[in-house]
């Protein structure tokens, strides 16, 4: 069970979709103050929050603790980090300074690593190396210094100029 809101929950959604075919247990994402009735001592509950202060995540995390669930934390700081440290829970740090929405990748990759380290999924390091290479190539192609004639981001910006983009 992954507890989170916003990008932290989306990282859990991506994880669930990426590993559902091999993970031996279902992965559920909870975006709420409480927990389903079946969450208890046989459950692994991961509190995921960039700030570590998300009240829904903190509330559900405390409820999971009261129910005796096994606990882990993925956070950048806050009360969730303090809780993990004081209770010596498994803790993975989102080490990034910036907008919370920009931490989606951090949350996803840390959760992926956690499931691998728990023996629940196979090693994805080769796939992740390839992802890194592809992203590095994309970053070069859309860099500020890359000329318009070969920069798809700049080309799109020119096409959208003076228009309302609806996604």
């Amino acid at each position: 069970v992954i507890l989170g809101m916003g990008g932290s929950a989306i990282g859990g959604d991506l994880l669930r979709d990426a590993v559902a075919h091999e993970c031996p247990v279902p992965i559920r994402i909870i975006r709420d103050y409480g927990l389903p009735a079946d969450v208890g001592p046989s459950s692994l509950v991961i509190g995921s929050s960039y700030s570590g202060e998300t009240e829904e995540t903190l509330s559900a995390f405390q409820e999971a603790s009261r129910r005796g669930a096994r606990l882990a934390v993925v956070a950048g700081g806050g009360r969730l980090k303090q809780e993990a440290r004081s209770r010596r829970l498994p803790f993975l740090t989102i080490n990034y300074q910036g907008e919370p929405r920009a931490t989606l990748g951090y949350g996803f990759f840390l959760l992926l690593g956690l499931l691998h380290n728990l023996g629940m999924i196979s090693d994805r390091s080769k796939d992740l190396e390839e992802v890194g290479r592809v992203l590095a190539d994309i970053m070069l192609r859309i860099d500020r210094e890359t000329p318009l004639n070969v920069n798809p981001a700049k080309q799109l910006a020119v096409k959208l100029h003076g228009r309302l983009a609806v996604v």
Side-chain angles (χ1 to χ4, degrees):
V1 176
I2 300 169
L3 311 174
M5 300 293 289
S8 299
I10 294 170
D13 288 330
L14 292 173
L15 175 77
R16 179 191 58 223
D17 293 345
V19 303
H21 67 282
E22 73 170 299
C23 188
V25 296
I27 297 172
R28 294 190 297 183
I29 316 307
I30 307 297
R31 294 170 166 91
D32 203 347
Y33 289 90
L35 296 170
D38 65 329
V39 174
S42 64
S43 304
L44 170 62
V45 176
I46 304 166
S48 180
S49 169
Y50 169 59
S51 70
E53 295 290 335
T54 309
E55 66 180 74
E56 295 90 341
T57 302
L58 288 165
S59 174
F61 191 81
Q62 293 301 325
E63 179 63 25
S65 177
R66 284 191 291 278
R67 293 185 190 184
R70 293 173 284 163
L71 302 171
V73 171
V74 174
R79 288 182 282 169
L80 201 54
K81 177 181 178 178
Q82 292 171 356
E83 184 79 17
R85 292 271 166 92
S86 69
R87 297 177 61 184
R88 296 191 167 143
L89 300 174
F91 174 69
L92 299 170
T93 303
I94 299 172
N95 190 9
Y96 177 79
Q97 299 299 314
E99 291 294 320
R101 65 183 165 270
T103 65
L104 172 61
Y106 290 89
F108 168 74
F109 290 120
L110 290 172
L111 290 168
L112 189 70
L114 177 61
L115 290 191
H116 168 67
N117 287 337
L118 292 171
M120 299 174 79
I121 62 170
S122 62
D123 182 11
R124 301 291 175 88
S125 58
K126 297 282 188 217
D127 296 332
L128 297 180
E129 289 171 9
E130 176 64 17
V131 167
R133 285 190 292 275
V134 169
L135 290 175
D137 179 58
I138 290 170
M139 290 301 295
L140 286 174
R141 290 183 20 227
I142 65 172
D143 185 77
R144 180 185 320 192
E145 304 303 319
T146 302
L148 172 66
N149 65 327
V150 292
N151 187 323
K154 288 181 179 181
Q155 293 167 5
L156 179 60
V158 167
K159 288 179 183 176
L160 291 175
H161 182 71
R163 298 172 188 227
L164 176 63
V166 179
V167 179

